[in-house]
Amino acid sequence: MNTAGHSEATALRGLELTPFRGLRYDPDRVGSLAAVTSPPYDVVVRPDGLHHLQSADPYNIVRLILPQAPTPNARNEQASDTLRRWQSEGVLAADDKPGLYVYEQRADDGMLQRGIIGALRVSDPAEGVVLPHEDVMPHIVADRADLMRATSANLEPLLLTYRGNGSTSAAADIVERVADHPPVLATTTEDGYSHRLWAVTDPADLALVQSDLAQHQALIADGHHRWATYRRLRAEHTSPSPWDYGLVLLVDTARYPLRVRAIHRLLHGVPVADALAAVEGLFRIRHLPVSLPAALEALADSARDGNAFLLAGDGAYHLIDRPDPDLLARTIPTDRPAAWRTLDATVLHAALLDHVWHIPEDSPAHIAYIHDTAATVEKAERDGGTAVLLHPVREEVVRDLARQGVTMPRKSTSFGPKPASGLVLRTLDL
């Protein structure tokens, strides 16, 4: 473990964001821009969400990011063929000039997020430029790498955050100024979010943005597996090459704070009764005959005083909290900071999954990681498994641990809003 902290002042190189010729849908060739978008590949709840997106439009981006075929090779070949066909048919067309892209998301509740999409120089964690906060699962990295090799494209941007200098930032000034002009793309997706995109091609503006970002480091908010994939593919090619860069969205959270939600667990083949029986005597158990919103409120209240989890799947909700100190002493590694040792995700993985329920965290046959709370509960009830619902971690905790070089347990956080997939792609052939 690397405990030597990183800071923006000590990073040898800052963020290197470069323009690219964005590959975008031709609005005249698709039913609507909203109908061809998708959440990021790992947020799509299979199979219901996948089928819904496939039926939304024959050109929906999900056919590229989650191709469906009997074998992995066939899936990747299908995605490659589909991408090339859409390009040859003019469904997807490259912009004339390389540029960076200002991207805005807005919700009815007043949420507004703006950031910059570009091709970012891929770096290793030891450089302290792009900081991961979660470990990755090798089989997912391998799967994404195979898809990127086959398509020779970055099909969806990662979400990275950095802490700018407020209104004095040159990048912030350009983002706000550009957003006053008509966008090259505007749509509203069925979740109620409106999306707008602007191309920044003026050389002076590009230089100012690049100079500003070069002073900063970034935290991976969403896309650890894709960033690990970028690093793997960069290592496979002789530099300089297009694989030295990967598609990202950079959001200045000093201006636009992200929302942080939990990623929940679904235990396959583990009935709720069995999961509860295993924790008897190790956690306090309270059965809650209430609705999901009320159960989540109870979870939030209990989480303020320590580790707490909500189990569901049998038509009710069961709050487990106040873990046995002896259990924690036996199972939680002591070579990490206290902030890491007390994370709910740490206790879940080290104590519950490993020692109480004996469930391998990296086995899709045993456990699934789902962002949507209601969907996790519904799947557990339908399949006879157990939903384990978590309380979210604060962004400042995530960033502080990342700067210490300490990674959190896998799938510990869900930052958002996430960029919609399908608004702008990067092909490495251009």
Side-chain angles (χ1 to χ4, degrees), residues 307-330:
N307 303 116
F309 309 93
L310 198 62
L311 306 189
D314 60 351
Y317 299 97
H318 314 273
L319 182 65
I320 65 172
D321 61 1
R322 298 185 183 178
D324 176 31
D326 290 339
L327 172 67
L328 301 184
R330 293 195 313 270

Side-chain angles (χ1 to χ4, degrees), residues 374-395:
T376 310
V377 175
E378 291 167 6
K379 281 180 169 290
E381 292 178 345
R382 183 171 65 241
D383 302 340
T386 295
V388 183
L389 308 182
L390 286 78
H391 188 65
V393 183
R394 300 190 314 276
E395 180 184 355

Side-chain angles (χ1 to χ4, degrees), residues 330-355:
R330 293 195 313 270
T331 59
I332 305 299
T334 59
D335 61 342
R336 308 286 179 94
W340 181 90
R341 297 197 304 270
T342 56
L343 288 170
D344 285 340
T346 297
V347 173
L348 172 61
H349 282 255
L352 284 168
L353 292 180
D354 289 353
H355 290 272

Side-chain angles (χ1 to χ4, degrees), residues 104-369:
E104 175 190 277
Q105 292 164 280
R106 189 187 296 266
D108 293 338
D109 62 4
M111 189 286 305
L112 173 65
Q113 178 174 290
R114 288 174 179 157
I116 303 173
I117 295 176
L120 185 68
R121 182 182 71 87
V122 178
S123 59
D124 294 324
E127 295 183 52
V129 177
V130 175
L131 305 178
H133 68 267
E134 291 182 1
D135 292 329
V136 297
M137 303 177 196
H139 72 279
I140 296 180
V141 175
D143 174 76
R144 291 293 102 183
D146 289 341
L147 178 64
M148 286 191 202
R149 284 192 207 95
T151 58
S152 191
N154 301 150
L155 300 171
E156 46 185 350
L158 286 64
L159 175 60
L160 305 185
T161 73
Y162 71 101
R163 301 289 293 179
N165 301 318
S167 60
T168 61
S169 163
D173 288 345
I174 290 170
V175 166
E176 302 308 313
R177 173 163 51 81
V178 167
D180 286 335
H181 292 79
V184 297
L185 177 159
T187 190
T188 299
T189 45
E190 65 178 9
D191 58 7
Y193 279 83
S194 66
H195 308 261
R196 296 198 295 170
L197 192 77
W198 296 262
V200 181
T201 58
D202 179 78
D205 286 345
L206 294 174
L208 285 171
V209 171
Q210 290 174 308
S211 176
D212 189 349
L213 294 176
Q215 305 172 52
H216 297 289
Q217 65 180 178
L219 174 74
I220 301 176
D222 185 68
H224 282 81
H225 290 91
R226 283 167 286 167
W227 184 256
T229 301
Y230 289 169
R231 291 176 53 216
R232 174 180 292 192
L233 295 174
R234 178 199 60 175
E236 294 176 0
H237 295 80
T238 301
S239 185
S241 84
W243 297 97
D244 292 341
Y245 297 84
L247 187 63
V248 306
L249 165 64
L250 278 166
V251 174
D252 177 0
T253 52
R255 291 182 65 86
Y256 299 107
L258 269 65
R259 296 174 175 176
V260 187
R261 294 184 172 89
I263 302 177
H264 309 296
R265 276 65 170 159
L266 173 61
L267 312 183
H268 299 305
V270 180
V272 174
D274 292 353
L276 288 171
V279 301
E280 186 74 40
L282 299 174
F283 284 74
R284 181 177 68 167
I285 301 174
R286 286 181 285 169
H287 306 288
L288 307 177
V290 296
S291 64
L292 177 57
L296 291 173
E297 286 185 14
L299 173 63
D301 290 341
S302 188
R304 294 190 183 100
D305 299 321
N307 303 116
F309 309 93
L310 198 62
L311 306 189
D314 60 351
Y317 299 97
H318 314 273
L319 182 65
I320 65 172
D321 61 1
R322 298 185 183 178
D324 176 31
D326 290 339
L327 172 67
L328 301 184
R330 293 195 313 270
T331 59
I332 305 299
T334 59
D335 61 342
R336 308 286 179 94
W340 181 90
R341 297 197 304 270
T342 56
L343 288 170
D344 285 340
T346 297
V347 173
L348 172 61
H349 282 255
L352 284 168
L353 292 180
D354 289 353
H355 290 272
V356 177
W357 291 328
H358 306 291
I359 294 173
E361 64 179 22
D362 57 354
S363 170
H366 294 87
I367 187 170
Y369 297 83

Side-chain angles (χ1 to χ4, degrees), residues 20-39:
F20 69 104
R21 290 178 62 198
L23 191 66
R24 298 191 292 112
Y25 282 97
D26 181 344
D28 295 331
R29 298 297 305 273
V30 298
S32 74
L33 290 174
V36 296
T37 65
S38 164

